[in-house]
Amino acid sequence: MTQATALETDTTLTPARLNHLQALEAESISILREAVAEFARPVMLYSIGKDSSVMLRLAQKAFYPGKIPFPLLHVDTSYKFPEMIAFRDAYTKEIGAELIVHRNEEAIAAGANPYTLGTQNCCGLLKTRSLLDALAEGGFDAAFGGARRDEEKSRAKERVYSFRDQAGQWDPKNQRPELWNLYNSRLRKGESIRVFPLSNWTELDIWLYLYAEKIPIVPLYFAKERPLITRGGQMTLVHNGMKLLPGEEVRTEKVRMRSLGCLPCTGAMRSEADTLPKIIEELLTFRRSERENRAIDHDEEGSMEVKKREGYF
Amino acid sequence: MDTVATTNFEEFLDVHLAQELLRFTTAGSVDDGKSTLIGRLLHDTKSVYEDQLAAVKKSRVNRAANGHVDLSLLTDGLKAEREQGITIDVAYRYFSTSRRKFIIADTPGHEQYTRNMATGASTADVAVVLIDAKAFLREGKLLPQSRRHTYIASLLGIPHVVAAVNKMDLVGYAQESFRAIRKEFVEFASKLGLKSVTVIPVSALEGDNVVTPSRAMSWYDGPTLLEFLETVPLAVANHNDPLRFPVQLVQRPDANFRGFSGQVARGVLRAGDRVLALPSRRESTVKRIVTWDGDLHVAAYPQSVTVELEDEIDLSRGEMLVSAADAEHGLPEITRRLRAMVVWMHEEALVVGRTYIVKHTTRTVRATVKSIRYRVDVGSLDHVQADRLAMNEIAEVELETSLPLFFDAYSESRSTGSLILIDGLTNATIGAGMIVGTVESGAGENEQATLVLVPGRAALAERVRDALEARGHRAVVIDDALISDDAFVAVVRALELAGVAAISSRALFPERLAEVTRSIQGFAAGAIVSGDGVDDEEVVRLAGVRT
């Protein structure tokens, strides 16, 4: 945990009461270890975002002094921010993790994009299909994901061990009851389980932990002057090879990303927060939820639930 | 969500980092207004974002009357629920105040979904049971569902129960009505043995006594619901509790390190402590308590750590470290026959004689239902006879497991006293069990021996086998020289798992013999029969052949 508390625990003979982050950390580590003990071939979905960064640190802690005993899987839509890819490659190398990158090359070659397909179909091809293919190719029976229950309404009902049928689909009405910390890992051939070690963390917990643990994150989270345009009502960062539509003008503003997805579908927000404490301070005064700038959640009422039923994380 | 009160943000962060976590669950009947109450808690603690509130305001559904915003929509997550207007699965919500962080398990009130109430209750520090004041006055008593939910809260060992008497606005905020409800609830709760019971009059719709004190009920001088949740004492890990460390994972990153990872389930673990491994009963000393953040001198429930021992002893996942000082008293129960209160959660009934899979701590075994001692009628709390258990029914059940479990009674320890039942065919989680204790062995019950040792008496070994087989038991003589002494325990263990008795006439050294006996005691169901100084007839009888 934080240096101060680790020291405290170390020098006293009676253990201190755990604060909420220590309690969440202990629970997450236990979930990671339980899954590694019980599944034949786990993998960790690594999205490069802040939640993935926390999950990765928890995995390092869970298996210390050993290395992380499973590969990381990044589903690359080809629309990710270049800063994300650079960070991914450097950081996984630094910590010595095994990285698998999977792309739906067929759909990418066919020109799949959110503008002509709509975000629903584009996600379906480049994320959901690609993810299911990668899991099948790797023969993975369990996949760790960084989803949190506080993110979105349909996620509030998600189990820590989320059962998926042979087609990778989620049936919200037929979930296994989950009691205490006794997780049911039993599967038949072809079935799998998504394991969510961060289920009980909130967005604020994630930022506090990143701060307390000094965990590196993609620089896009910090405010900086960046070139951008307004498209579809959101501020979209300009990148190499982007075609401007008539009437679009590039301008520069001090912005940051609150959550990271694909470039065309993740909006930037105006911000002065260029350090973690400033981000946390800003978060505490926020009156809007973090997924609000994610176009994919707003296609229709309950759209995340529809995606999850199909196999999206 | 808090506002930033201090100018020194680092100080503010320290306060945030030091906050404790409280988990609570909400339960009540279909129309008691649970979702509205939670919506109210989130709304009045400013935990709702503008865009979420805007989405609720423009939603096609609105069940709140008089132009109120329907706050229940903040928590009704799934499409089907929004359409049907009922909560059909447990949903988790999060909010914080300047005092604490909260996790809410919002559990449905519909009778068919009692299993979800048990799910939410299993990890809760506090249960909030909603009582509809208007419905109470109409019926003149607590609704059956309210009784059921309070009973489940007591069964799942939730330390504090608070009854939120809701819809006080619909009964004119009348003190007499509240008093009548409080009296009946307190009586019922004390009958259940609940120790910490609080009753608060609220209106979730109007916001009275949820976060802000009610002006309409100035006669009430107790805490609001939020004040109660912010100040109720949290259970502290008791340092006098005996140590229970179920091994989750053995880590061997290289030849020099062998660590046992797990979460301390009970008590305290200290570097330098003498510990005892179960079931092998081998002793060792804690060399290090290893974490990424550095070695610890001490670890307690519920910390996740890795333990390195001084000696190479036989210990794997599903086994347990306890304190060697507890070897005389203070050990967990070690048995294959146990009694548990079971909440059944599946459409297909529990049937006596059927075998299921049980997961208890990190140990997974097969378990056969030997009998149903009684079923609890949740309305009357009477014990009734039963030979099957339908969905949402609760009973005390006798289980016989394929390997011994190391447990404490659930009333002593939720983490070492709880188990889940899994269907071996469908893999569904079908039941939840709270262990009561060991089944007292009845007179005349004589189980078949696991191991019969008759050194140097090969003919007797064969006779015991034949006698067992004649009685329909399965038995094998393992005198074959191909089975080395080193493999002896493993072979006996494999035979035991297959339900076969092992018999041997081989001559083992006394130390070796002691080691074999000790190794087998931990997992064996039946007796270990030593033929030393015992005549043939007696050996046959001890082996489980009755004449």
Side-chain angles (χ1 to χ4, degrees), chain B residues 84-164:
Chain B
Q84 292 167 26
I86 51 160
T87 314
I88 56 169
D89 201 346
V90 54
Y92 294 89
R93 300 285 151 198
Y94 305 82
F95 73 103
S96 65
T97 67
S98 55
R99 285 168 160 177
R100 274 187 182 160
K101 290 244 162 194
F102 299 97
I103 300 179
I104 316 173
D106 179 14
T107 65
H110 196 282
E111 202 157 352
Q112 285 313 306
Y113 294 97
T114 293
R115 63 178 207 171
N116 294 322
M117 156 94 203
T119 302
S122 69
T123 50
D125 304 302
V126 174
V128 178
V129 176
L130 264 98
I131 295 171
D132 180 335
K134 200 175 177 206
F136 180 94
L137 294 183
R138 191 180 59 231
E139 302 290 321
K141 58 178 193 214
L142 287 175
L143 296 182
Q145 293 98 317
S146 302
R147 297 164 69 91
R148 176 186 288 267
H149 295 317
T150 312
Y151 173 65
I152 294 171
S154 74
L155 189 69
L156 277 117
I158 301 182
H160 308 277
V161 173
V162 50

Side-chain angles (χ1 to χ4, degrees), chain B residues 279 332-340 355 358 360 363 365-371 397-407 419 435 437-441 445-450 493 495-500 520-527:
Chain B
E333 299 280 327
I334 304 172
T335 179
R336 291 174 58 244
R337 300 198 61 185
L338 52 110
R339 296 182 286 133
T355 298
V358 157
H360 168 258
R363 199 165 172 83
V365 298
R366 281 175 295 118
T368 303
V369 177
K370 302 305 276 188
S371 71
V397 165
E398 271 186 36
L399 297 170
E400 184 173 300
T401 57
S402 54
L403 294 174
L405 299 182
F406 327 116
F407 64 81
L419 57 84
I435 301 176
T438 302
V439 173
E440 312 76 26
S441 54
E445 274 186 66
N446 192 1
E447 288 184 277
Q448 179 193 335
T450 297
R493 192 181 285 226
L495 289 171
E496 154 80 355
L497 276 172
V500 180
I520 289 163
Q521 259 164 359
F523 69 84

Side-chain angles (χ1 to χ4, degrees), chain A residues 1-2 6 9-21 23-27 29-31 33-34 36-38 57 60-67 149-154 156-159 161 170 172-188 191 199-205 208-209 211-213 258 276-278 280-281 283-290 292 298 300-302 305-306 309, chain B residues 1-2 4 9-10 12-13 16-21 23 46-52 59-60 73-82 84 87-94 96 101 103 115-116 118-119 122-123 156 234-236 239 248-249 251 253 257 261-263 268 270 290-293 295-300 302-306 317 345 357 359-362 364 410 414 418-420 422 425-429 432-434:
Chain A
M1 183 48 44
T2 70
T9 323
D10 234 347
T11 51
T12 50
L13 283 175
T14 41
R17 299 230 347 229
L18 301 191
N19 65 42
H20 77 277
L21 284 183
L24 290 170
E25 180 189 73
E27 178 183 76
I29 288 176
S30 176
I31 292 165
R33 287 172 174 169
E34 190 66 13
V36 163
E38 292 206 315
R57 171 60 57 87
Q60 288 179 285
K61 290 194 175 197
F63 305 103
Y64 177 84
K67 287 200 166 186
R149 287 178 181 143
D150 83 323
E151 273 178 75
E152 204 273 339
K153 278 202 283 191
S154 74
K157 311 226 155 178
E158 184 71 272
R159 302 291 192 259
Y161 273 35
W170 183 61
K173 282 196 171 176
N174 193 23
Q175 299 195 77
R176 293 173 176 178
E178 205 164 72
L179 295 101
W180 301 289
N181 59 349
L182 297 173
Y183 304 108
N184 178 354
S185 62
R186 300 185 66 87
L187 294 173
R188 286 184 286 198
E191 297 168 340
S199 287
N200 285 323
W201 295 59
T202 64
E203 187 185 10
L204 179 60
D205 296 331
L208 287 172
Y209 193 76
Y211 169 73
E213 293 282 326
R258 190 173 173 191
L276 280 174
K278 283 186 193 169
I280 295 168
E281 194 167 0
L283 178 68
L284 290 172
T285 54
F286 267 166
R287 304 275 17 115
R288 308 185 84 77
S289 66
E290 71 187 296
E292 194 207 26
H298 301 286
E300 59 165 290
E301 205 180 348
E305 184 187 338
V306 173
R309 283 170 184 272
Chain B
M1 195 143 293
D2 310 66
V4 185
F9 193 71
E10 306 276 323
F12 170 82
L13 278 181
H16 248 287
L17 289 167
Q19 278 182 326
E20 287 177 331
L21 187 64
R23 295 171 195 247
K46 303 189 169 48
S47 312
V48 181
Y49 291 119
E50 276 171 17
D51 57 307
Q52 292 170 335
S59 172
R60 287 167 302 202
L73 293 176
L74 287 170
T75 61
D76 287 355
L78 302 178
K79 264 184 136 173
E81 287 174 52
R82 286 199 297 277
Q84 292 167 26
T87 314
I88 56 169
D89 201 346
V90 54
Y92 294 89
R93 300 285 151 198
Y94 305 82
S96 65
K101 290 244 162 194
I103 300 179
R115 63 178 207 171
N116 294 322
T119 302
S122 69
T123 50
L156 277 117
L234 280 166
V236 189
H239 299 163
Q248 218 180 357
L249 188 65
Q251 309 224 44
F257 186 87
S261 293
Q263 200 167 11
V268 179
R270 291 185 174 81
V290 181
T291 78
W292 154 288
D293 297 292
D295 285 6
L296 303 179
H297 290 311
V298 54
Q303 281 178 286
S304 284
V305 296
T306 296
R317 174 176 164 83
M345 301 183 152
I357 291 164
K359 187 167 182 190
H360 168 258
T361 65
T362 58
T364 304
Y410 187 79
R414 281 167 128 184
S418 53
L419 57 84
I420 56 169
I422 298 166
L425 268 176
T426 64
N427 292 328
T429 304
M434 280 70 58

Side-chain angles (χ1 to χ4, degrees), chain B residues 369-383:
Chain B
V369 177
K370 302 305 276 188
S371 71
I372 296 176
R373 294 198 153 196
Y374 59 85
R375 186 171 72 74
V376 178
D377 179 316
V378 181
S380 63
L381 301 186
D382 288 342
H383 293 183

Side-chain angles (χ1 to χ4, degrees), chain A residues 132-152:
Chain A
L132 294 177
D133 288 348
L135 293 178
E137 266 172 42
F140 300 112
D141 55 349
F144 295 106
R148 309 186 321 270
R149 287 178 181 143
D150 83 323
E151 273 178 75
E152 204 273 339

Side-chain angles (χ1 to χ4, degrees), chain A residues 70-81:
Chain A
F70 43 75
L72 312 183
L73 171 64
H74 179 231
V75 174
D76 186 1
T77 59
S78 79
Y79 286 105
K80 297 295 173 190
F81 294 88

